[in-house]
Amino acid sequence: MKVRCIAIDDEPLALQQLSRYILETDFLELTGSFRNGLVAQKWLSVNSTDAIFVDIEMPGLNGLDFIRSMNRKPLVVFTTAHSEYALEGFKVEATDYLLKPIDYQDFVRSAERLYRQYLLMQGIKEGQGGKHTIFVRSEYKTMAIDIAGIFFIESQSEYVRIFLEDKKPIMSLGSLKSYQETLPPDLFFRVHRSYIVNISFIKCIERKQIILHNGMSLPVGKLYEKELKKYINENIHRK
């Protein structure tokens, strides 16, 4: 499963380098490269893409405005020589931000983050059709996981650990936020800055601790306590 990508940069050498990086990355597919956003807009009016690598500073239509103009946004990685644009990039929900000059190692790290997000989104889309599967990249493999079998997900710096019933946890690069945004909210609940839990595996809640059916316990974070109580009150069975 490859991610279809386009590259946009007004600097010929930068565009050439970015295009070459995409071509050299086995899970990416380059479907177009453009010197400005207006030409890319015209191409996208009759074509589609999964991801865009786009420079922020471009004449005419800059990268930020180019992405803001899109009704249906693909995954986005911004490239620029100026770090002060990073915040603006993330405000439009960019997957990542690459600071020029870009070496291939940095590009691959960013591309892998994009690929994880893509697989997660694809997995949830398939799950909505009845498969209920997400795809996670771990140890150079892409693994299919039945979301109903996930007990909880734990954040560890730039990684997450996915805990499954009677199996070794799966470690993958990624953020808890990306899982929270894509996993079905009627099944998964954020209970702590470091934990998302599968509601169906909760045995009981006592003293700000969630006890799971497998005996493990998770803390309830102060910031999430109010929302958890609200959820419980809305779903509690009353005679």
Side-chain angles (χ1 to χ4, degrees):
M1 186 182 294
K2 290 193 174 188
V3 184
R4 296 172 302 151
C5 305
I6 64 172
I8 310 170
D9 199 308
D10 64 300
E11 299 176 9
L13 290 178
L15 182 61
Q16 183 180 5
Q17 180 191 57
L18 192 57
S19 300
R20 187 176 73 251
Y21 284 172
I22 293 171
L23 289 168
E24 290 175 356
T25 306
D26 60 2
F27 53 83
L28 301 181
E29 178 185 353
L30 181 66
T31 56
S33 58
F34 308 94
R35 290 279 303 276
N36 66 73
L38 294 174
V39 176
Q41 274 185 335
K42 186 176 180 180
W43 185 87
L44 286 168
S45 67
V46 293
N47 298 280
S48 63
T49 189
D50 301 315
I52 298 176
F53 290 83
V54 56
D55 185 24
I56 289 180
E57 292 184 289
M58 295 187 294
L61 182 65
N62 68 44
L64 289 167
D65 289 338
F66 172 79
I67 297 301
R68 290 189 187 109
S69 71
M70 300 183 72
N71 293 323
R72 298 182 64 182
K73 296 180 178 63
L75 297 171
V76 177
V77 174
F78 283 115
T79 66
T80 184
H82 301 282
S83 60
E84 62 265 26
Y85 286 115
L87 180 59
E88 291 301 312
F90 287 116
K91 280 183 180 178
V92 295
E93 299 179 348
T95 299
D96 207 0
Y97 177 98
L98 284 167
L99 190 63
K100 296 179 179 179
I102 303 165
D103 64 30
Y104 187 60
Q105 266 192 329
D106 288 338
F107 176 85
V108 168
R109 278 194 289 268
S110 183
E112 287 178 340
R113 184 175 291 124
L114 182 146
Y115 189 51
R116 288 191 300 273
Q117 185 70 10
Y118 172 77
L119 290 176
L120 189 59
M121 290 168 63
Q122 291 301 112
I124 294 301
K125 286 176 185 175
E126 292 189 6
Q128 291 170 349
K131 294 184 180 179
H132 302 288
T133 300
I134 61 172
F135 294 92
V136 176
R137 194 164 177 84
S138 178
E139 297 179 352
Y140 306 102
K141 294 181 291 186
T142 299
M143 307 181 68
I145 301 174
D146 181 358
I147 63 173
I150 298 173
F151 267 71
F152 66 93
I153 303 173
E154 178 187 19
S155 173
Q156 291 192 335
S157 186
E158 295 183 350
Y159 292 83
V160 296
R161 288 204 300 168
I162 301 171
F163 287 78
L164 307 169
E165 188 174 13
D166 301 324
K167 292 181 182 178
K168 181 181 176 182
I170 294 172
M171 180 82 79
S172 178
L173 274 167
S175 70
L176 207 61
K177 184 174 182 291
S178 66
Y179 284 85
Q180 183 184 7
E181 291 174 346
T182 49
L183 287 168
D186 59 335
L187 186 61
F188 290 87
F189 201 92
R190 182 83 174 259
V191 296
H192 189 275
R193 62 181 295 188
S194 299
Y195 298 102
I196 294 174
V197 65
N198 186 333
I199 295 163
S200 63
F201 288 119
I202 296 177
K203 182 179 181 181
C204 64
I205 303 172
E206 56 181 26
R207 298 179 183 178
K208 297 184 180 180
Q209 291 284 317
I210 292 174
I211 312 300
L212 303 178
H213 285 295
N214 64 356
M216 298 182 73
S217 65
L218 305 175
V220 177
K222 189 174 182 180
L223 292 175
Y224 304 91
E225 188 176 0
K226 184 178 179 180
E227 284 300 312
L228 181 60
K229 285 182 178 179
K230 179 183 176 183
Y231 178 86
I232 292 170
N233 288 333
E234 289 174 350
N235 291 274
I236 197 166
H237 176 70
R238 294 183 175 90
K239 292 184 179 179

